[in-house]
Amino acid sequence: HSDTIVEPDDSEALFSALSGYNTKLYHDALTDVYNRRYYEEIVRGMKGPTGVALMDLDDFKIYNDTYGHHAGDLVLETVARVIRNCIRQTDTLIRFGGDEFLLLLPGIPAEKLPEKLEQIRSSVHGAQVPGYTHLRPSVSIGGVLQTLADPIEAVVRRADLLMYQAKSRKNAVVVADPQAEPEDPEQLLNYLSEVGHPVLGMEPFDM
């Protein structure tokens, strides 16, 4: 049996199929943004400077419990669409958990990061959910500027802690002051474990 020869047209079709496979592999079917696997396999190797924000939908469980999972899905789709409309094509939006999104803003200046996150917060809160126009979705956002020296896991963990601070108020943005000393992680972790908040990145990471 002779070796199979791949014609140019076939190779293009194969490349197209592989591209489509990767699109499905790394995309969240509901929101059409990247999924957690994309973070684990691609993003974890990326270097700064990058604006990193973790966003959590406020009261998402109430939407599901009160109006059903279809309403919850529509809220997620709406929020993802609104965030995408606020960012550049070179930025990356990832559905990081059930109702959590991770946003990466490469090269954003430190002074612009709070402005951009505030724009997103405001736009989400002003969005209308199709069929549920009485709902007013909101997000709590924690933002950090990743430097060249910062491992992404450490930055995401800091963003998670700041997001939890924002969540105590809801519909709020908390951004790390780039001039300030980093928070004492041990103290924050102890506090968050006391109040029952699941903290990202509890396992050690390579510096």
Side-chain angles (χ1 to χ4, degrees), residues 157 161 182-194 199 202:
R157 177 161 58 177
L161 297 173
E183 307 91 337
D184 178 359
E186 205 62 41
Q187 187 178 357
L188 279 168
L189 291 176
N190 289 340
Y191 165 71
L192 292 172
S193 63
E194 285 172 12
V199 180
M202 287 289 285

Side-chain angles (χ1 to χ4, degrees), residues 39 43 52-55 92-96 100-104 152 156 159:
Y39 168 79
V43 171
V52 176
L54 207 58
M55 315 180 193
T92 301
L93 183 61
I94 299 168
R95 187 178 177 193
F96 204 62
E100 276 188 348
F101 292 93
L102 176 66
L103 177 62
L104 306 174
I152 190 68
V156 170

